[in-house]
Amino acid sequence: MVRDETPPSQGRVRGAALGLPATGPGSVAGFGARAVAFVVDALLAAVVAAAVVQGIPENWSLLSFGLITVVSLVLVGRTPGQALLKLQLAHPRQGERVALWRAVVRTALLMLLVPALVVDGDGRGLHDRLTQTAVIRSV
C-alpha cells in the first residue's frame, strides 16, 4: 500500500498548539538560537560578576545571571542574549508584560539547566512550559 500523506506525528508544526505561526516572526525559536542566547547571557553574567568581585567570579556569576535575566525579562521581555539573536519571551496573553513570578520561576528552573533540555512537541523547555511562556523570533 502506498501512502501520499505524511503521518500526523511527522507533520506537526512547532508552536501550533500555542497558536503561533510555523515560521517567521512570532514562531517558536529553535534550540540552537536559544542555546546561543543562553551562552551570551552566561558570559555577560560572568563578566559582570568578575567586575563586581574584582577577580574570578566563581558562583557570583550565577547570582548575576539570575538578576540580569529576571530584571530584563520583566522590563523588556527579553534577555540581552535574546535581544542579540532577535528573540523574545512570549507571554500567554499577547501584549502583556512578563509577570515577576513567571520571570523568577522560569529563571530558577533555567539555572538548573536540565529543564531547558527537556523539550516538548512545541519546542518549549520545561521551564517555559511550567510558566506558560515560549521563546519566539521577534523578526
Side-chain angles (χ1 to χ4, degrees):
M1 177 161 83
V2 177
R3 288 192 195 184
D4 292 331
E5 299 178 38
T6 35
S9 64
Q10 300 297 321
R12 186 163 193 264
V13 176
R14 289 181 348 149
L18 305 170
L20 299 174
T23 59
S27 63
V28 175
F31 181 79
R34 293 192 322 262
V36 171
F38 174 80
V39 170
V40 169
D41 292 334
L43 290 173
L44 175 63
V47 168
V48 169
V52 171
V53 297
Q54 302 296 319
I56 299 173
E58 296 181 17
N59 288 337
W60 288 103
S61 61
L62 195 58
L63 175 63
S64 65
F65 177 84
L67 289 173
I68 290 168
T69 302
V70 168
V71 169
S72 62
L73 287 177
V74 170
L75 293 180
V76 294
R78 63 177 70 186
T79 66
Q82 290 171 346
L84 183 68
L85 291 160
K86 297 182 177 25
L87 306 175
Q88 69 184 46
L89 190 66
H91 190 279
R93 288 180 301 278
Q94 191 173 5
E96 290 191 27
R97 282 187 160 190
V98 176
L100 179 62
W101 77 266
R102 287 185 203 275
V104 169
V105 169
R106 183 184 185 281
T107 302
L109 290 170
L110 182 60
M111 288 166 51
L112 296 174
L113 196 59
V114 173
L117 300 175
V118 178
V119 181
D120 68 6
D122 287 314
R124 296 186 303 167
L126 184 60
H127 60 300
D128 282 326
R129 188 172 174 91
L130 290 175
T131 58
Q132 299 176 333
T133 58
V135 178
I136 61 171
R137 293 177 181 93
S138 59
V139 178

